Amino acid sequence: MEQIIIRRERLCADEYIDFLKRTDLGSQYPKERFRERIEKLVQHAAISLVARNSENIIVGVLFAITDFAYWMFITDLGVDRAYVKQGIGKRLFEMAVEDAGGKENIIVYTNAYSKAIPFYEKFGMWKTNEVMEYN
């Protein structure tokens, strides 16, 4: 199996947009001011983890916001379609939880794409109606 390296890394918008084309993540974003909004996302995520293959191609990404004490909200977690089922998403998730403050301290939230729900359920996450939404 190919070696995948995960690093704390900031991406530029072009890199992330190119990666989105190889995942199911891109379909979740509203198209209005897409590039402008992606630029803000990649610049401001509190946690930015990037998985790269041996050719330095991005094969996985996780972005999250957190207070580093109580909670973390995963805004993006995706793996290149050619690399799914290799444990990359799991490694990204676990590394993000540790970076945010550790499993014993952090509550994890996300707005999961329907096909991703089984992935998150493997970590013990469940669907809830307690999240409030505006706009």
Side-chain angles (χ1 to χ4, degrees), residues 56 88 101 124:
N56 207 35
I88 297 168

Side-chain angles (χ1 to χ4, degrees), residues 43-63:
Q43 290 173 9
H44 298 289
I47 294 177
S48 179
L49 300 175
V50 179
R52 294 184 181 266
N53 68 10
S54 58
E55 296 173 14
N56 207 35
I57 296 170
I58 299 168
V59 297
V61 170
L62 184 145
F63 296 136

Side-chain angles (χ1 to χ4, degrees), residues 13-83:
D14 288 335
E15 286 179 299
Y16 191 54
I17 291 169
D18 179 61
F19 170 74
L20 288 174
K21 294 173 187 173
R22 296 180 277 118
T23 73
D24 293 329
L25 279 176
S27 63
Q28 75 182 358
Y29 289 110
K31 301 306 176 211
E32 299 83 24
R33 299 180 334 276
F34 177 74
R35 179 171 187 71
E36 170 191 338
R37 293 163 91 181
I38 292 296
E39 285 176 1
K40 287 181 181 181
L41 168 66
V42 298
Q43 290 173 9
H44 298 289
I47 294 177
S48 179
L49 300 175
V50 179
R52 294 184 181 266
N53 68 10
S54 58
E55 296 173 14
N56 207 35
I57 296 170
I58 299 168
V59 297
V61 170
L62 184 145
F63 296 136
I65 56 176
T66 183
D67 65 0
F68 296 100
Y70 293 99
W71 60 269
M72 175 178 69
F73 187 94
I74 297 172
T75 62
D76 295 62
L77 173 52
V79 175
D80 184 313
R81 288 181 197 97
Y83 287 81

